[in-house]
């Protein structure tokens, strides 16, 4: 079956694909994340559409190691 995991990751990948098709350099995207229902926003219903967000990690400067500047959730 098609689960929240597949939906979440497909949405994130669609966002990445849209950036690249619009001229964004593909090598700049470091990660594409889909969290399904694992990281809900505080104070919202579990079924709130605001949870349908995506995360793309794109460093804003060359040579920046984002793993050191972004905390692990």
């Amino acid at each position: 079956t098609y689960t929240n995991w597949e939906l979440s990751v497909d949405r994130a990948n669609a966002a990445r694909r849209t950036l690249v098709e619009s001229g964004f350099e593909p090598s700049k995207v470091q990660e594409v994340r889909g969290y399904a229902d694992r990281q809900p926003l505080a104070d919202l219903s579990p079924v709130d559409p605001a949870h349908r967000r995506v995360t793309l990690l794109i460093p804003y400067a060359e040579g920046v190691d984002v793993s050191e500047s972004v905390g692990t959730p």
Side-chain angles (χ1 to χ4, degrees), residues 17-35:
R17 202 168 35 249
T18 298
L19 280 174
V20 170
E21 289 169 356
S22 298
F24 192 81
E25 177 60 42
S27 65
K28 299 279 186 194
V29 179
Q30 288 191 343
E31 292 183 37
V32 177
R33 297 179 180 179
Y35 294 110

